[in-house]
Amino acid sequence: MPFLLFQAIRPKTLSVAFSVILLGQLLAWFDLKNIPDTSINPITAALCLLCCLFLQISVNLANDYFDHISGIDGENRQGPKRAIQSGALTLNSLKKAIASFTLLAILSGCYLIWIGGWVFFILGCLSLAGIFLYSGGKYSFASRSLGEVTVFLFFGWLGVIGSYYLQVKIFSWELLIPASEIGFLVASIMLVNNIRDMATDHLAGKITLAYRLGPIKSRGLYVILLLLPFMLLPFNPYSPWLNAFLLPLHLGLAWLIYKRSGTQLNTQLAQSSLLVLIWSLGYLCSFI
């Protein structure tokens, strides 16, 4: 059972949460390093990471649950076989797992609310609501072609800027540039997922952005999302110059998206997730 649950949380995508929080903490460290008697609070950094991880796991499990009961996860699914789809997990055990990880997210988030104030209470409530509104019901974000926008806002802006603020206690509009860079890359992961599942999603009434655009235009949007971070680099006040050397990787994935289809897009999805981590590590190397 533990191994089956581990598979259900989609461990290959969890690098996204780590990458987002890493970037937020790197930006905070960069701004604090020249201020006397200030430094990164490791407890805050750790709880930011745990809260983000638990929220992502809860969303992943909730997505499995709602996709199963809505009939999206059928025999023709192109993605990796879900644990509940194969009968390895029951609906009841999956609901317990969702409740457990949601509770862990709340517990780790309580400290963040305590040091961040009422704004983070509101953000926390929105994050919890997002667990169920993302894929639950016919008016879910995913069913209304808002999946890419949702992950851009939550993992890009909220994840990076929120974790930064908890360390520095100051908001700067300049943070929107690095937060948007990684937000575009996270949105590209969601887009690949929806390109892969386009046919089965539509049959179940899930109208994703990929379905609205069609296979060619949605792949074109994927390319745009991969290239947008480089367009923001000249305006980035943190000057992560090493990230410019990542362009060949982005171009390679942009080329491969037109060569791959069906189950091959599972590899594209995993590589896109890895690209998010590499982008954050580019900041780390640039700062060092």
Side-chain angles (χ1 to χ4, degrees):
M1 181 69 72
F3 177 72
L4 297 175
L5 182 59
F6 178 74
Q7 288 182 312
I9 67 176
R10 306 180 201 176
K12 291 182 179 180
T13 67
L14 296 184
S15 61
V16 170
F18 177 79
S19 306
V20 167
I21 301 304
L22 173 62
L23 180 56
Q25 300 310 289
L26 285 171
L27 298 176
W29 171 80
F30 184 88
D31 287 342
L32 290 174
K33 66 179 181 178
N34 295 322
I35 302 176
D37 301 321
T38 58
S39 62
I40 292 291
N41 185 323
I43 296 177
T44 299
L47 287 174
C48 282
L49 176 58
L50 287 175
C51 186
C52 191
L53 277 172
F54 292 144
L55 284 171
Q56 185 181 357
I57 291 172
S58 298
V59 170
N60 288 346
L61 294 175
N63 187 50
D64 281 17
Y65 175 81
F66 289 117
D67 281 0
H68 178 77
I69 63 176
S70 63
I72 291 176
D73 285 344
E75 292 299 324
N76 296 323
R77 172 179 161 78
Q78 297 295 309
K81 190 170 289 293
R82 302 273 175 84
I84 192 170
Q85 178 189 6
S86 63
L89 287 178
T90 64
L91 272 177
N92 189 49
S93 61
L94 185 59
K95 286 192 288 186
K96 289 180 180 179
I98 295 170
S100 298
F101 280 106
T102 301
L103 178 60
L104 288 172
I106 293 172
L107 292 176
S108 56
C110 284
Y111 173 80
L112 305 181
I113 293 172
W114 180 57
I115 64 173
W118 64 270
V119 172
F120 279 83
F121 174 76
I122 296 176
L123 293 175
C125 291
L126 290 174
S127 298
L128 291 175
I131 294 174
F132 305 99
L133 293 178
Y134 176 76
S135 55
K138 62 179 181 178
Y139 298 110
S140 66
F141 299 147
S143 297
R144 293 292 172 244
S145 308
L146 295 174
E148 288 77 10
V149 174
T150 301
V151 297
F152 174 87
L153 293 175
F154 276 85
F155 286 99
W157 286 7
L158 178 57
V160 174
I161 298 174
S163 63
Y164 170 95
Y165 180 87
L166 289 168
Q167 294 283 6
V168 183
K169 301 298 190 296
I170 295 174
F171 170 77
S172 171
W173 290 104
E174 293 179 336
L175 292 168
L176 288 174
I177 295 178
S180 295
E181 289 172 359
I182 205 165
F184 287 133
L185 297 181
V186 176
S188 75
I189 301 172
M190 179 58 61
L191 187 58
V192 172
N193 181 81
N194 291 336
I195 292 173
R196 182 197 64 199
D197 297 338
M198 193 183 304
T200 53
D201 284 349
H202 171 61
L203 290 175
K206 185 177 181 180
I207 310 300
T208 62
L209 181 59
Y211 177 79
R212 289 186 185 277
L213 294 176
I216 302 300
K217 289 183 179 179
S218 57
R219 282 171 166 80
L221 177 59
Y222 175 80
V223 173
I224 292 173
L225 290 173
L226 289 188
L227 297 181
L228 278 175
F230 294 97
M231 298 177 65
L232 292 177
L233 280 179
F235 310 100
N236 193 320
Y238 293 94
S239 302
W241 59 276
L242 278 176
N243 284 27
F245 292 96
L246 298 177
L247 182 58
L249 289 177
H250 289 239
L251 292 176
L253 282 180
W255 177 75
L256 286 171
I257 192 67
Y258 288 100
K259 301 293 181 180
R260 290 168 169 169
S261 61
T263 57
Q264 295 174 326
L265 290 173
N266 293 327
T267 301
Q268 187 85 20
L269 191 150
Q271 291 171 337
S272 299
S273 299
L274 182 60
L275 200 62
V276 178
L277 176 59
I278 295 173
W279 189 266
S280 291
L281 293 176
Y283 272 82
L284 175 61
C285 295
S286 297
F287 290 170
I288 292 176

